[in-house]
Amino acid sequence: MRNILIAGAVVVAGTAGYMLSQKEGKLPEVASRLNAAEMLLESIPADTVVFSGQLESFPLKNYLRNTTFAQAQMPPELTYELEKGGDPQGLFFSSLLQSYFSASQSAEEFQKTFGLNDDFLGAFFMVGAIPVLRYQSDDPEAILKLFEKAEQDSGFLHQTKQLNGHSYRVYHIALKNEQKFELVLSIQDGWVTVTINGNKVETSDLEVALGLKQPDSSLQASGKVQSIQQQHNFLPNSIGFIDHQELVTAITSKDGNSLAKMINGFSGDDQKAQKFTDLHSSECQREMAEIVASWPKTVIGMRDMQISEERSYVKASMIVESNNSPVMKALASMQGYIPSYLKDVPVFGFGFGLDANKINPALSSIWTSVSNTEYSCGPLIEMKNNLTQSNPAALAMFTGMIQGVKGVGMAVSDFSVNLNGPAPDIQNLDALLTLSADNPEVLFNMSKTFAPHLASIQLPADGSPVDLSSMIPNPKADQIKPMLALKGKHLVVYTGEKSQTMADALAAEQPESNGVMNLSADYSRVFTPLVPLMEMNATPEVADQFQILKNLNMKISMDISFSDKGIEMATQADMQASKATSAQ
């Protein structure tokens, strides 16, 4: 998790300041009138398929301080794969990764190694098929030293090339098909740019990737980022997207956008490219464009961000946008119930909401909509034929068995593991399992057909619990007593005082449609009891990784829901300096 967070931070490093530092002639005079965020967007092609931008200064030092943990060793299996045979290219990348893992011991060391500023702006984007990463650096020599060390460790050396009077480094990566593939490292006026180059990449595209030339049409002029921010109520500083419409244009045309031109250039005379010729027909272009217009983009943005020396809290959402009202209405109708107790679970929580009564009608509605649409595009005709062979009516038997179910939930409020005996066992457990339905008692009685040992249990209608200890062998029966009860519209199994309180509160709670999935966890409280058990049969290297999990001082939660805007995954992460870091 932390590696992903750091990678994301590096990905969104410093383009805006770079644009400020450009010399006359490399940017039009109008740039001097733009603010930093606007200049950032002016440098990016409007048809970029992927974009991730930090449009306001990001407090990197504090963020790293709260998310950095000691990880001084690269996984041995990765080291072996890179270094086997003594290949200089593999040794080069192994050295870079070793430096990364070593630098991960502290926020200060990480910043020093990569020359990262305390505050920065930046972006990751695409110029056609070329990925571009650019970040501002107070010490750009640091990245040179890092690459020079990797060269010394491996013997894999760079070449120096020039473009428009600008010098940059190139590392030629050997590929099996002998195609030209170069890792490009450029430093200019305190800005680091990392990209790639190939034998089918036009010089003009490389100029845009290196920031030596503006794109013909910019992301700023398109208004795309501003529209995303306003439509989804994101903070203006961190926004990203995957443009589905540009992707479809790329695969259904030869020159509809920059990516299409590059794909066509890469394909050349390759016979495999013939598989895509059908997609270039006018029918496929029109019909696939109509489909993707209903699902235009996947967008990512921040809803809240509070970063200080002690704590980093971020609230973000990823939304698959949809303009297809019939489909979204059908999906929303299936949305089930997520119990309220999952809003604040001390250790671990999981909820899955699905209205069993609505599954078959909703899927049938979607299936009918697709199967009734006429296509002229060959691949779409094939897709439709495959879909029509899977009539969702077959689900009717299954959904009939779980009729009335609205959702399930689980919460762990506390637990401990005893390792002193002959075998590890659970010493203490405070947990709750719930099944919410229109008539949970009927479902319980139906379950007796498949579990005869439950036949003797009669659930009191007043919510009184039934002790299940005699049915579940447990040497800690005096400490862990599973209880079964009917609480209004909820069938519950619980053990422990906290879980009993949560179960009792459900009696007054109606299982109304409010979500699809919820997941939450306190990393420290989940892994601290488990790490000793996980270490018992682990190698020393793997045991070190387990310690990292225990030291993570992080709480996360994730919710998935359907709305009129699309399919949304909302996440929250509350991170503080790890125990190991705090002790230093």
Side-chain angles (χ1 to χ4, degrees), residues 193-224:
T193 299
V194 181
T195 185
I196 63 171
N197 188 25
N199 56 355
K200 297 293 185 178
V201 175
E202 299 290 340
T203 300
S204 59
D205 291 324
L206 186 59
E207 289 175 330
V208 173
L210 294 177
L212 305 176
K213 173 186 174 182
Q214 274 200 304
D216 294 334
S217 179
S218 73
L219 197 55
Q220 169 66 16
S222 74
K224 191 179 297 182

Side-chain angles (χ1 to χ4, degrees), residues 87-165:
D87 175 46
Q89 183 172 293
L91 293 171
F92 175 78
F93 287 107
S94 176
S95 176
L96 289 178
L97 287 172
Q98 291 282 8
S99 295
Y100 167 81
F101 281 96
S102 180
S104 296
Q105 295 179 74
S106 71
E108 291 74 16
E109 187 65 24
F110 195 88
Q111 283 187 273
K112 179 181 177 181
T113 299
F114 293 95
L116 300 174
N117 300 348
D118 290 346
D119 298 284
F120 60 86
L121 302 168
F124 172 83
F125 56 95
M126 305 285 286
V127 178
I130 304 175
V132 182
L133 165 66
R134 183 176 296 130
Y135 68 90
Q136 186 183 28
S137 176
D138 286 338
D139 181 20
E141 293 298 316
I143 197 72
L144 291 180
K145 292 177 182 177
L146 180 68
F147 274 72
E148 286 168 359
K149 178 182 181 300
E151 291 186 26
Q152 294 171 2
D153 292 342
S154 63
F156 187 67
L157 307 179
H158 74 273
Q159 293 179 313
T160 300
K161 293 187 177 182
Q162 285 198 344
L163 184 61
N164 289 353

Side-chain angles (χ1 to χ4, degrees), residues 67 79 98 125-126 249 378 394 503 549:
T67 60
T79 303
Q98 291 282 8
F125 56 95
M126 305 285 286
T249 298
L549 293 174

Side-chain angles (χ1 to χ4, degrees), residues 40-306:
L40 166 68
L41 299 176
E42 286 283 4
S43 71
I44 299 172
D47 63 0
T48 179
V49 172
V50 178
F51 168 78
S52 177
Q54 187 66 42
L55 307 180
E56 292 181 359
S57 182
F58 183 82
L60 181 63
K61 174 177 282 188
N62 288 336
Y63 180 79
L64 289 174
R65 194 186 303 275
N66 297 326
T67 60
T68 296
F69 52 87
Q71 185 167 315
Q73 184 171 317
M74 188 164 74
E77 59 274 14
L78 180 57
T79 303
Y80 172 78
E81 287 298 323
L82 289 172
E83 297 184 359
K84 63 181 180 182
D87 175 46
Q89 183 172 293
L91 293 171
F92 175 78
F93 287 107
S94 176
S95 176
L96 289 178
L97 287 172
Q98 291 282 8
S99 295
Y100 167 81
F101 281 96
S102 180
S104 296
Q105 295 179 74
S106 71
E108 291 74 16
E109 187 65 24
F110 195 88
Q111 283 187 273
K112 179 181 177 181
T113 299
F114 293 95
L116 300 174
N117 300 348
D118 290 346
D119 298 284
F120 60 86
L121 302 168
F124 172 83
F125 56 95
M126 305 285 286
V127 178
I130 304 175
V132 182
L133 165 66
R134 183 176 296 130
Y135 68 90
Q136 186 183 28
S137 176
D138 286 338
D139 181 20
E141 293 298 316
I143 197 72
L144 291 180
K145 292 177 182 177
L146 180 68
F147 274 72
E148 286 168 359
K149 178 182 181 300
E151 291 186 26
Q152 294 171 2
D153 292 342
S154 63
F156 187 67
L157 307 179
H158 74 273
Q159 293 179 313
T160 300
K161 293 187 177 182
Q162 285 198 344
L163 184 61
N164 289 353
H166 172 65
S167 297
Y168 59 94
R169 289 188 176 192
V170 168
Y171 294 88
H172 179 72
I173 310 300
L175 300 177
K176 292 182 179 180
N177 59 10
E178 298 184 357
Q179 291 287 322
K180 174 184 174 182
F181 186 86
E182 297 174 337
L183 175 65
V184 178
L185 173 64
S186 171
I187 295 178
Q188 187 176 22
D189 299 326
W191 293 85
V192 177
T193 299
V194 181
T195 185
I196 63 171
N197 188 25
N199 56 355
K200 297 293 185 178
V201 175
E202 299 290 340
T203 300
S204 59
D205 291 324
L206 186 59
E207 289 175 330
V208 173
L210 294 177
L212 305 176
K213 173 186 174 182
Q214 274 200 304
D216 294 334
S217 179
S218 73
L219 197 55
Q220 169 66 16
S222 74
K224 191 179 297 182
V225 172
Q226 298 88 334
S227 175
I228 291 172
Q229 188 260 322
Q230 294 170 7
Q231 180 182 353
H232 299 288
N233 196 29
F234 289 152
L235 296 177
N237 55 354
S238 298
I239 294 176
F241 65 78
I242 301 173
D243 195 318
H244 306 159
Q245 291 175 299
E246 293 291 353
L247 277 173
V248 167
T249 298
I251 65 175
T252 59
S253 67
K254 293 184 178 181
D255 57 2
N257 57 21
S258 299
L259 181 57
K261 295 175 183 177
M262 285 195 183
I263 291 176
N264 189 54
F266 294 154
S267 300
D269 297 327
D270 190 347
Q271 293 301 314
K272 295 179 180 179
Q274 295 301 317
K275 296 180 180 179
F276 301 99
T277 55
D278 288 345
L279 293 174
H280 290 172
S281 68
S282 59
E283 293 82 4
C284 284
Q285 289 179 2
R286 183 185 70 258
E287 293 172 354
M288 293 189 72
E290 290 173 353
I291 292 173
V292 79
S294 295
W295 305 88
K297 293 182 296 293
T298 295
V299 300
I300 303 171
M302 295 287 185
R303 294 268 169 74
D304 192 8
M305 183 172 67
Q306 303 171 33

